[in-house]
């Protein structure tokens, strides 16, 4: 397996302050999948990708996509993304508002047709980092869709874009009959209609007859993530209800962590290595709500980000409830033992 020695070539977190003016936020690569949140305001998340352009999705609601070209967002750029001065609503560029933007690199403007499944798809992918954006039109019945990764996806986030529908999240730790909803605090639900009771392969993922994942004539976007050594890790852990909480070994120093209790109804949690906070002061946001960020220290969201994983530092239900199972994704800052970046705890 090839090792990614510099994860920041494929994923980056950018912190910026809005100026209500025209500007480019430079990630060092094209933001093929872009996820933005105002840090101190109660505003919706905005998600953009190369296949949909200026059409935005909202992780904390079930709304269909809406064009945001005239609301502070201009385009995805070769070195990041560009913003404009129309900052109505404060979504991405209100004056003096602090923002965080998480960016994944795909394959730029090069989209490809994938005919591997029973439903043809359009994909934008990066096989090195194990990430692909997949768009297809649902049929309303059992089907397969090609994702192009050449590796088995460990996590898939799907959303109907041409109308209201919940976000559906597949995670390998939950199995192929269960799903979480990104826009909801609810615990996992069981339904063979989500993924047709079939585990994704290195070529395809399967769909049943559920309207959220494969509704007839529904235009679906799917973000697919495979695990790559030194770059990404997907797994689960069980809470112990102790402030000296569960340690989760990832084999890399996380640069961002997204987690959710799967067997218990509580919010999604998102951390990164760029926003203010050091162990255990790591601030968190919740993709399932419009809330601004909260401080981790002394709260339900306290964690340590370590050189080889992360550790719960709270008894809070959203992070470390006794006996409950939590799923996570971690994107790396450096691999344990590599020489490019000293792999020290925060």
């Amino acid at each position: 397996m090839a090792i990614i020695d510099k994860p920041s070539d494929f994923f980056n977190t950018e912190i910026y302050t809005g100026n209500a003016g025209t500007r480019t936020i430079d990630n060092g690569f094209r933001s093929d999948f872009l996820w933005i949140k105002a840090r101190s305001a109660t505003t919706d998340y905005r998600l953009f990708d190369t296949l949909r352009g200026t059409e935005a999705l909202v992780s904390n609601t079930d709304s269909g996509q809406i064009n945001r070209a005239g609301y502070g967002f201009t385009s995805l750029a070769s070195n990041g993304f560009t913003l404009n001065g129309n900052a109505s609503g404060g979504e991405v560029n209100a004056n003096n508002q602090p923002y965080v933007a998480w960016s994944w690199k795909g394959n730029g403007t090069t989209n490809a047709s994938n005919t591997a499944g029973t439903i043809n798809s359009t994909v934008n992918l990066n096989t090195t980092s194990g990430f692909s954006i997949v768009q297809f039109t649902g049929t309303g019945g059992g089907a397969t869709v090609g994702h192009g990764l050449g590796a088995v996806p460990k996590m898939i986030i799907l959303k109907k874009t041409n109308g209201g529908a919940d976000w559906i999240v597949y995670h390998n730790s939950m199995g192929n009959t269960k799903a979480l909803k990104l826009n909801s605090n609810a615990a996992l639900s069981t339904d063979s209609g989500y993924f047709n009771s079939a585990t994704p392969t290195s070529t395809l993922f399967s769909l049943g007859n559920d309207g959220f994942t494969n509704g007839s004539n529904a235009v679906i976007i799917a973000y697919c993530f495979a695990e790559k050594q030194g770059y990404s890790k997907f797994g689960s852990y069980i809470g112990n209800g102790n402030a000296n909480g569960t340690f989760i070994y990832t084999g890399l120093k996380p640069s961002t962590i997204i987690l959710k209790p799967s067997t218990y109804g509580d919010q999604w949690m998102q951390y990164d290595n760029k926003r203010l906070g050091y162990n255990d002061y790591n601030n968190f946001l919740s993709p399932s709500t419009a809330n601004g960020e909260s401080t981790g220290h002394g709260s339900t969201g306290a964690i340590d980000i370590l050189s080889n994983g992360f550790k719960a530092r709270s008894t809070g239900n959203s992070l470390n409830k006794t006996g409950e199972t939590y799923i996570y994704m971690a994107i790396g800052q450096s691999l344990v033992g590599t020489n490019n970046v000293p792999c020290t705890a925060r």
Side-chain angles (χ1 to χ4, degrees):
M1 177 189 294
I3 295 175
I4 296 175
D5 197 46
K6 192 177 179 184
S8 60
D9 285 344
F10 302 95
F11 171 85
N12 209 350
T13 302
E14 287 293 329
I15 303 300
Y16 66 95
T17 300
N19 67 357
T22 302
R23 64 196 302 193
T24 296
I25 306 299
D26 190 345
N27 287 325
F29 57 81
R30 182 182 176 87
S31 298
D32 291 307
F33 176 36
L34 174 64
W35 197 337
I36 302 176
K37 179 67 176 79
R39 297 169 57 193
S40 62
T42 303
T43 60
D44 290 334
Y45 284 74
R46 294 300 178 193
L47 286 74
F48 303 90
D49 63 65
T50 299
L51 294 181
R52 297 179 304 106
T54 58
E55 301 288 338
L57 290 168
V58 182
S59 66
N60 52 284
T61 76
D62 64 358
S63 302
Q65 67 183 14
I66 46 177
N67 193 291
R68 306 319 276 169
Y71 294 86
F73 184 80
T74 299
S75 66
L76 302 173
S78 61
N79 60 336
F81 57 97
T82 60
L83 305 173
N84 62 55
N86 187 346
S88 175
E91 297 168 355
V92 297
N93 195 29
N95 196 40
N96 295 322
Q97 173 64 237
Y99 293 90
V100 58
W102 302 282
S103 295
W104 283 261
K105 180 181 180 179
N107 195 26
T109 57
T110 304
N111 303 324
S113 176
N114 187 303
T115 59
T118 59
I119 298 177
N120 292 341
S121 61
T122 302
V123 300
N124 186 290
L125 71 155
N126 195 304
T127 56
T128 301
S129 63
F131 171 65
S132 68
I133 307 165
V134 181
Q135 189 172 54
F136 61 94
T137 300
T139 61
T144 56
V145 178
H147 53 70
L149 290 175
V152 177
K154 299 292 187 179
M155 187 170 178
I156 305 174
I157 303 172
L158 302 97
K159 178 71 175 75
K160 176 184 174 181
T161 64
N162 60 337
D166 288 326
W167 291 79
I168 300 298
V169 179
Y170 165 85
H171 193 283
N172 67 302
S173 297
M174 299 187 300
N176 57 34
T177 62
K178 298 178 175 63
L180 289 166
K181 296 177 180 180
L182 186 63
N183 57 295
S184 171
N185 291 352
L188 58 80
S189 57
T190 301
D191 187 342
S192 61
Y194 291 138
F195 307 111
N196 213 25
S197 301
T199 301
T201 71
S202 60
T203 306
L204 305 164
F205 58 87
S206 297
L207 304 169
N209 59 3
D210 186 85
F212 294 155
T213 59
N214 190 27
S216 179
N217 296 317
V219 179
I220 309 290
I221 199 79
Y223 305 111
C224 303
F225 304 87
E227 197 169 272
K228 295 292 182 176
Q229 185 177 1
Y231 173 75
S232 58
K233 184 69 176 178
F234 303 82
S236 64
Y237 67 92
I238 297 175
N240 67 4
N242 193 307
N244 183 17
T246 303
F247 167 70
I248 299 90
Y249 178 80
T250 61
L252 49 85
K253 181 179 180 179
S255 60
T256 196
I257 302 160
I258 301 175
L259 62 87
K260 168 78 171 72
S262 59
T263 52
Y264 179 81
D266 212 315
Q267 65 185 327
W268 290 82
M269 308 284 279
Q270 186 163 12
Y271 304 84
D272 60 64
N273 66 333
K274 295 290 182 70
R275 286 178 291 136
L276 179 67
Y278 290 89
N279 297 341
D280 62 348
Y281 285 78
N282 293 294
N283 294 344
F284 65 90
L285 285 159
S286 175
S288 52
T289 75
N291 296 337
E293 73 181 8
S294 300
T295 179
H297 181 67
S299 78
T300 59
I303 70 167
D304 287 344
I305 297 177
L306 304 170
S307 62
N308 57 354
F310 62 99
K311 183 178 178 65
R313 287 294 188 183
S314 167
T315 60
N317 294 343
S318 56
L319 180 66
N320 194 28
K321 182 178 172 64
T322 301
E324 298 296 342
T325 301
Y326 297 76
I327 60 98
Y328 71 87
M329 68 177 294
I331 305 296
Q333 180 178 347
S334 55
L335 173 69
V336 173
T338 56
N339 296 320
N340 62 314
V341 178
C343 203
T344 55
R346 292 182 64 169

